[in-house]
């Protein structure tokens, strides 16, 4: 069990199950932010040869890679002299498996007792690479925006290597109907063996289009009512933090199991040029370079005005208002419990 207890901040994580728990002065309190981020989302490149139409990073074949040296510098900058390092990293890009030194990056992460996770488009997955990663990875997420994109063979390479595998399903206006089918159990056979399917709120950045953002329509409401269903056999599922305002407002999920937007509060994003920002969708806003500032100067001081502004920004009539950070600071149009 990983744990950290600093003054009014308490956190435990079970690396085997991925289960985490956080509390404040008492078990009933929520700390506002963590003295050391729990998770760092690190983009190790912007190079990718797949060209997904929904890619918010607009990644392409451009050979923009973070070097292993700079990656190690990032990890070491987050190692707090008193409290230790982040517990886990989520590696993205670009396509992590197209980084020429990806296995070295994983080794450097493990060497520091940090759990590496990554997301992939799946193109480069082979039994060999899955074998090399076996036993070293917290979880892998395979990104899709349609079930037709999910290759059973690639999924099997991961599952057969004993790697905990999630599906990242980018949820847009166009696939809500298919997402309902997933929650009705229609894809149980294809999804057999996965850990969970995680619905990611479609962000209109990069190659993703503003017209495809989720809208409050009958499919959206059907999807939400299926979230609350307890009688259907289906894979485990979850959501990214961007979907949380809608879950709090429209679903009956116990709010104790829901974490609001964590960026700059409990997690941090670092891009392949070593810029630190609250999350990967900040598109250069609230961003500070590790070449100019020490990590804990950014985390402890530079992010303070962001935290003050976004701690409780909800203006909606909602019973869970006090738990919610409100609309997304960068793409307010994705938070559709707002007007
Ligand atoms: C940009 S991808 C890069 C990593 C890897 N190439 C992949 O395909 O997973 C990082 C994460 O962003 C997600 N993603 C991509 N475009 C998105 C969008 N427009 N809105 C929300 N999430 C998106 C992907 O599903 C993945 O989980």
């Amino acid at each position: 069990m990983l744990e950290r207890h600093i003054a009014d901040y308490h956190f435990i994580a079970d690396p085997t199950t991925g289960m985490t728990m956080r509390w404040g002065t008492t078990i009933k309190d929520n700390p506002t932010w963590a003295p050391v981020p729990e998770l760092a989302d690190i983009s190790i490149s912007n190079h990718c040869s797949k060209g997904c139409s929904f890619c918010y990073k607009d990644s392409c074949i451009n050979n923009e890679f973070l070097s292993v040296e700079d990656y190690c510098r990032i990890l070491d900058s987050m190692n707090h002299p008193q409290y230790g390092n982040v517990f886990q990293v989520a590696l993205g890009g670009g396509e992590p498996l197209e980084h020429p030194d990806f296995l070295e990056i994983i080794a450097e992460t493990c060497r520091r007792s940090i759990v590496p996770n990554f997301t992939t488009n799946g193109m480069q997955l082979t039994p060999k690479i899955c074998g090399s990663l076996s036993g070293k990875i917290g979880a892998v997420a395979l990104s899709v925006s349609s079930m037709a994109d999910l290759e059973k063979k690639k999924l099997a390479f991961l599952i057969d290597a004993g790697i905990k595998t999630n599906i990242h399903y980018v949820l847009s206006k166009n696939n809500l109907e298919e997402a309902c089918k997933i929650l009705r159990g229609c894809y149980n056979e294809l999804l057999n063996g996965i850990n969970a399917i995680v619905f990611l709120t479609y962000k209109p950045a990069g190659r993703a289009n503003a017209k495809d953002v989720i809208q409050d329509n009958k499919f959206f409401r059907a999807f939400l009512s299926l979230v609350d269903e307890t009688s259907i056999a289906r894979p485990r599922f979850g959501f990214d933090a961007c979907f949380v305002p809608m879950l709090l407002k429209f679903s009956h999920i116990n709010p104790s199991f829901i974490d609001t937007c964590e960026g700059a509060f409990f997690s941090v994003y670092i891009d392949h040029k070593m810029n630190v920002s609250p999350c990967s969708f900040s598109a250069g806003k609230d961003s500070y370079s590790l070449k100019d500032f020490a990590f804990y100067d950014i985390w402890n001081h530079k992010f303070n005005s962001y935290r003050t502004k976004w701690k409780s920004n909800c203006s909606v009539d909602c019973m869970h208002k006090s738990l919610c950070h409100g609309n997304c600071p960068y793409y307010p149009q994705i938070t559709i419990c707002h007007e």
Side-chain angles (χ1 to χ4, degrees):
M1 195 70 87
L2 302 170
E3 43 189 294
R4 183 164 285 145
H5 306 277
I6 306 166
D8 293 344
Y9 166 81
H10 304 273
F11 179 82
I12 53 173
D14 181 348
T16 323
T17 61
M19 180 100 158
T20 62
M21 198 172 159
R22 181 193 309 125
W23 68 101
T25 314
T26 75
I27 202 88
K28 291 196 174 129
D29 301 308
N30 275 322
T32 309
W33 60 291
V36 176
E38 293 157 9
L39 173 134
D41 183 355
I42 306 178
S43 178
I44 58 172
S45 78
N46 198 19
H47 179 100
C48 178
S49 57
K50 190 167 182 191
C52 299
S53 61
F54 57 85
C55 181
Y56 78 93
K57 292 281 295 283
D58 200 10
S59 300
C60 56
I61 301 175
N62 57 18
N63 292 305
E64 284 183 26
F65 298 109
L66 175 72
S67 69
V68 179
E69 292 71 33
D70 282 344
Y71 179 72
C72 292
R73 240 172 254 145
I74 290 173
L75 293 188
D76 294 338
S77 75
M78 293 188 293
N79 192 14
H80 193 287
Q82 254 175 298
Y83 308 131
N85 216 325
V86 299
F87 292 116
Q88 51 178 333
V89 291
L91 304 176
E95 171 52 37
L97 291 178
E98 289 180 9
H99 192 298
D101 303 314
F102 184 61
L103 290 178
E104 217 179 318
I105 283 176
I106 296 298
E108 289 294 347
T109 315
C110 296
R111 204 162 66 75
R112 289 165 175 79
S113 303
I114 299 170
V115 178
N117 306 276
F118 71 96
T119 70
T120 176
N121 61 35
M123 267 172 65
Q124 314 299 334
L125 284 173
T126 59
K128 185 164 177 244
I129 183 81
C130 293
S132 315
L133 294 169
S134 181
K136 299 175 186 155
I137 303 292
V140 169
L142 251 174
S143 293
V144 296
S145 64
S146 138
M147 292 310 278
D149 295 344
L150 189 60
E151 284 183 63
K152 184 83 184 155
K153 185 179 75 177
K154 302 278 178 167
L155 203 52
F157 293 159
L158 287 162
I159 293 168
D160 293 350
I163 297 172
K164 192 182 282 179
T165 305
N166 294 311
I167 305 300
H168 274 184
Y169 189 93
V170 182
L171 191 64
S172 70
K173 187 184 89 182
N174 306 324
N175 57 18
L176 274 167
E177 213 175 338
E178 185 180 69
C180 288
K181 283 194 191 161
I182 296 171
L183 294 190
R184 281 197 204 98
C186 303
Y187 292 97
N188 286 3
E189 202 187 318
L190 180 58
L191 296 172
N192 188 26
I194 67 160
N195 176 58
I197 181 157
V198 183
F199 295 103
L200 305 184
T201 318
Y202 185 93
K203 263 73 79 182
R207 289 197 288 271
N209 203 313
K211 73 173 176 30
D212 297 328
V213 166
I214 302 171
Q215 286 165 12
D216 189 0
N217 57 22
K218 67 173 182 185
F219 296 118
F220 178 66
R221 293 296 172 128
F223 179 75
L224 284 166
S225 65
L226 282 160
V227 167
D228 281 329
E229 264 296 338
T230 51
S231 58
I232 304 173
R234 57 197 179 184
R236 282 205 295 183
F237 62 97
F239 296 89
D240 64 356
C242 319
F243 203 86
V244 161
M246 284 76 85
L247 288 180
L248 287 171
K249 174 93 190 262
F250 299 121
S251 82
H252 296 107
I253 298 175
N254 181 342
S256 309
F257 296 126
I258 300 182
D259 216 358
T260 45
C261 178
E262 301 190 328
F265 293 90
F266 301 101
S267 66
V268 67
Y269 173 68
I270 305 172
D271 72 14
H272 66 289
K273 294 183 175 155
M274 300 181 82
N275 297 307
V276 181
S277 57
C279 86
S280 58
F281 300 106
S282 66
K285 293 186 193 127
D286 308 302
S287 173
Y288 304 91
S289 175
L290 274 181
K291 294 174 185 160
D292 299 328
F293 303 100
F295 181 81
Y296 282 100
D297 184 18
I298 301 170
W299 185 254
N300 290 334
H301 307 116
K302 301 273 183 276
F303 279 174
N304 267 346
S305 53
Y306 175 94
R307 285 189 196 112
T308 310
K309 181 165 180 203
W310 295 106
K311 194 172 71 168
S312 50
N313 182 51
C314 178
S315 57
V316 172
D317 180 20
C318 172
M319 66 189 287
H320 298 306
K321 199 182 179 74
S322 65
L323 298 172
C324 192
H325 287 170
N327 63 286
C328 170
Y330 305 117
Y331 298 101
Q333 65 271 48
I334 66 170
T335 316
I336 54 173
C337 53
H338 274 243
E339 290 305 310

